[in-house]
């Protein structure tokens, strides 16, 4: 459903001024000081991988990104405006009212700052309005709110005037913007140049990007900048440009908008028409957290078109592999609905394009911290597409609530959906790589895909405010390396989520370096997963062994090695519960006896 209402554009939003208005009244010799907070806003609103409760554009509804559960300050999401990429602040300050000589507070009188005439008549006294400015700024890196008296973000430590949008993660987080390469060109400008016309060599890595996707942005900022903001692409582009990777070592691909016929292979007419309708509106919302403006429909078509062309280019052998630097993301978009920041499902459209180019079997590995419910829905009954997702789940409490281990596919396609649902936050490299070694790669090898797609959300990265996990750039690079051995190296990486600019830019760069042939610096010898991660892996293996015989030996070996280690905490809990089950009268009787003995001892000592 598309929510639409009239709105007012407020592009200058980065600095907020909260004003405390103090009214002083003198009535019958008594002073009354009334404090009125004007435009007071919460510094941080807790939410679970989602947006906090903020009102939609004129809808009277609360804004809730669908990852709803209780989180700490590191999971707080923030809002971005449509019209700016610069997080440095605009001051929205209410000037102080000047003091008149006959308008004085009790403090003024007490300090005798003015000469007072006892005959003065104060019956016509007007309240004095004094405005105290409480200024705030939003961090360009993580969008967290900070007080004006600090230079570095309280959450991520990024400098208030960081150069991350100009130089990517190569810019120092502790210093203001500095020019690293004054003669260097920017990707956004160079993407318009003549090199876009060049034909990529057959062994090259191609990158899909178009600056028009930056126009997709929230029109009016709510309490915080929206996490899915144009700066995400700017930071990655700046990192690649500064490193000389793109433009440089990678080749661009011409952008085009996806056609309606291609979209209908994945989405229903309702989805396509709802997205297209937004192009005639200044601002609209599909869900309280999934926005659109007049440019969003084109941005979604460009993202889908780039993914489709990258898939067909790579599968046909005209390029070795590729990276789709696109937005809006797509893996939450289902057959009919747009949700979770996603309008069209880019990974599903790429899979469809690869099949149209001749691929019989397509593997989609989704390591975004949120389950790709849209991708699963689209291919839930398909045996030609294997969908594997690693995500936070926590018993369905983490957004979008789908993706339990027992969701394996339907209608004869059981086993072609593999969900690895983490039970907690903070999951890091060891758990992810261990799951790859013992679940993802064995199943994928048995499936033997002709083409591989990675739904590469980097919100599982260390420092992400929504994901709150601990995967490093080296971890993402290692997972990419392990997937390059499949489908003859025909691999397409598609950007999904990721909302800490430093995390996503460094992680995306590490992944692209692997596509270019560099080996990640990660030691795979004797990786020890966490207990909770091992329990999740055991749960998935127990379910998926019924569909993939290659897992049987792996499951048996892991049980022999880790079975006691993985479940020893459970045994202790049961043991504690058994000890606690004792008759109430026995427990209280024992306490009374001890009290009497102690009392007699005390009495004896007193005597």
């Amino acid at each position: 459903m598309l929510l639409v209402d009239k709105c007012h554009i407020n592009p200058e939003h980065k600095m907020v001024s909260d004003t405390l208005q103090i009214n002083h009244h003198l009535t019958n010799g008594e002073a009354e000081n009334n404090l009125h907070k004007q435009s007071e806003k919460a510094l941080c609103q807790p939410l679970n991988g989602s947006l906090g409760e903020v009102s939609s554009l004129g809808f009277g509804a609360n804004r809730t990104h669908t990852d709803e559960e209780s989180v700490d300050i590191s999971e707080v999401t923030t809002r971005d405006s449509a019209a700016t990429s610069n997080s440095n602040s605009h001051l929205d300050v209410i000037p102080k009212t000047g003091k008149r000589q006959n308008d004085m507070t009790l403090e003024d009188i007490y300090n005798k700052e003015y000469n007072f005439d006892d005959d003065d008549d104060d019956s016509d006294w007007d309240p004095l309005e004094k405005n105290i400015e409480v200024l705030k700024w939003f961090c360009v890196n993580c969008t967290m709110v900070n007080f004006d008296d600090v230079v570095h973000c309280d959450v991520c430590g990024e400098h208030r005037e960081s150069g991350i949008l100009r130089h990517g993660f190569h810019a120092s987080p502790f210093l203001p913007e500095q020019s690293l390469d004054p003669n260097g060109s920017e990707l956004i400008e160079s993407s318009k140049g003549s090199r876009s016309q060049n034909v990529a060599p057959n062994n090259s890595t191609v990158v899909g990007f178009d600056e028009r996707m930056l126009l997709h942005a929230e029109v009016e900022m709510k309490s915080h900048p929206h996490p899915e903001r144009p700066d995400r692409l700017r930071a990655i582009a700046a990192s690649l440009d500064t490193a000389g990777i793109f433009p440089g070592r990678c080749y661009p691909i011409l952008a085009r908008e996806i056609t309606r016929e291609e979209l209908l292979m994945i989405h229903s007419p309702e989805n396509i028409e709802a997205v297209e309708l937004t192009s005639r509106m200044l601002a609209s919302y599909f869900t309280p957290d999934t926005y659109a403006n007049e440019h969003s429909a084109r941005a979604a078509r460009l993202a889908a078109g780039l993914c489709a062309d990258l898939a067909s280019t790579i599968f046909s052998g005209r390029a070795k592999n590729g990276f789709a630097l696109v937005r809006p993301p797509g893996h939450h978009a289902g057959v009919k609905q747009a949700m979770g920041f996603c309008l069209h499902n880019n990974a599903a459209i790429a899979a469809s394009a690869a099949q149209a180019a001749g691929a019989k079997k397509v593997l989609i590995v989704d390591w975004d911290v949120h389950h790709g419910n849209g991708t699963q829905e689209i291919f839930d009954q398909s045996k030609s597409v294997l969908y594997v997702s690693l995500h936070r789940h926590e018993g369905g409490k983490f957004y979008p609530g789908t993706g339990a281990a027992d969701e394996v596919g339907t209608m004869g396609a059981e086993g072609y959906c593999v969900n690895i649902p983490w039970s907690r936050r903070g999951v890091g490299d060891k758990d992810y790589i261990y799951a790859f070694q013992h679940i993802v790669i064995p199943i994928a090898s048995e499936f033997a895909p002709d083409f591989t797609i990675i739904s590469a959300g980097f919100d599982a990265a260390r420092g992400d405010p929504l994901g709150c996990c601990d995967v490093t750039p080296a971890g993402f690079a290692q997972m990419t390396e392990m997937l390059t051995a499949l489908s003859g190296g025909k691999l397409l990486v598609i950007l999904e989520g990721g909302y800490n600019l430093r995390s996503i830019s460094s992680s995306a760069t590490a992944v692209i370096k692997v596509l270019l042939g560099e080996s990640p610096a990660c030691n795979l010898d004797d990786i020890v997963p966490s207990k909770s991660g091992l329990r999740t892996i055991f749960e998935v293996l127990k379910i998926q062994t019924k569909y993939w015989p290659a897992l049987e030996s792996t499951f048996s070996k892991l049980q022999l090695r880790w079975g006691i280690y993985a479940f020893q905490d459970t045994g202790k809990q049961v043991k504690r519960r058994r000890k606690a089950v004792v008759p109430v009268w026995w427990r209280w009787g024992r306490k009374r006896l001890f009290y009497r003995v102690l009392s007699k001892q005390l009495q004896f000592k007193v005597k």
Side-chain angles (χ1 to χ4, degrees), residues 168-169 235-236 239 461 472-474 500-511:
F169 73 94
I236 298 175
S239 298
T472 66
N500 179 302
L501 302 190
R502 191 165 291 276
S503 299
I504 63 172
S505 58
S506 58
S507 299
T509 302
V511 166

Side-chain angles (χ1 to χ4, degrees), residues 528-542:
V528 178
S530 67
K531 291 180 181 179
S532 63
L534 195 57
R535 290 171 189 162
T536 298
I537 291 171
F538 272 128
E539 179 188 9
V540 175
L541 286 171
K542 185 177 181 180

Side-chain angles (χ1 to χ4, degrees), residues 137 439 602:
W137 57 277
I439 299 176
L602 292 174

Side-chain angles (χ1 to χ4, degrees), residues 314-384:
I314 296 167
F315 182 77
S316 64
R318 287 173 286 160
K320 179 178 64 173
N321 50 43
F323 189 97
L325 184 55
V326 296
R327 61 182 293 273
H331 73 149
H332 291 308
V335 175
K336 295 182 177 180
Q337 80 282 3
M339 60 178 289
F341 311 161
C342 304
L343 305 187
H344 296 319
N345 196 306
N346 301 319
I349 291 168
S352 176
Q355 290 176 324
K360 301 299 181 183
K361 293 185 288 186
V362 178
L363 167 66
I364 301 177
V365 177
D366 188 341
W367 66 44
D368 190 283
V369 78
H370 305 101
H371 178 243
N373 58 301
T375 309
Q376 176 174 303
E377 176 199 356
I378 291 168
F379 297 114
D380 192 53
Q381 302 176 17
S382 174
K383 298 177 69 173
S384 63

Side-chain angles (χ1 to χ4, degrees), residues 108-263:
D108 296 334
I109 301 171
Y110 180 81
N111 293 330
K112 297 182 179 179
E113 293 183 10
Y114 299 93
N115 294 324
F116 232 109
D117 187 351
D118 293 336
D119 295 331
D120 281 351
D121 182 11
D122 62 354
S123 61
D124 59 347
W125 185 325
D126 292 330
L128 172 67
E129 294 185 359
K130 181 186 293 184
N131 299 302
I132 301 175
E133 302 161 5
V134 182
L135 303 179
K136 304 173 189 175
W137 57 277
F138 295 105
C139 175
V140 65
N141 180 51
C142 68
T143 70
M144 299 306 303
V145 66
N146 296 272
F147 284 112
D148 190 51
D149 59 349
V150 297
V151 177
H152 294 92
C153 177
D154 289 332
V155 177
C156 70
E158 194 78 15
H159 194 279
R160 180 174 179 174
E161 299 178 359
S162 168
I164 192 168
L165 295 181
R166 181 175 175 82
H167 306 294
F169 73 94
H170 303 284
S172 171
F174 310 113
L175 300 175
E177 180 177 350
Q178 297 176 343
S179 178
L180 301 182
D181 182 9
N183 297 320
S185 60
E186 301 246 351
L187 170 60
I188 295 175
E189 293 300 324
S190 63
S191 66
K192 305 175 184 178
S194 59
R195 184 170 181 185
S196 297
Q197 307 298 327
N198 293 349
V199 177
N202 293 345
N203 62 346
S204 65
T205 296
V206 289
V207 173
F209 174 78
D210 190 279
E211 70 277 1
R212 288 173 290 179
M213 291 182 291
L214 300 175
L215 298 176
H216 167 65
E218 191 172 37
V219 171
E220 182 176 351
M221 187 188 74
K222 303 302 186 279
S223 63
H224 298 89
H226 197 289
E228 206 297 284
R229 58 206 191 276
D231 287 350
R232 297 174 63 241
L233 293 195
R234 291 189 179 101
I236 298 175
S239 298
L240 298 177
D241 183 52
T242 302
I245 294 176
F246 181 69
R249 299 169 63 188
C250 298
Y251 286 81
I253 186 172
L254 285 174
R256 71 169 178 92
E257 297 181 27
I258 197 80
T259 65
R260 180 181 177 86
E261 290 70 25
E262 291 172 296
L263 287 175

Side-chain angles (χ1 to χ4, degrees), residues 468-485:
C468 297
C469 286
D470 199 37
V471 183
T472 66
F476 287 117
Q478 184 59 54
M479 289 188 285
T480 305
E481 171 77 10
M482 297 172 77
L483 292 173
T484 57

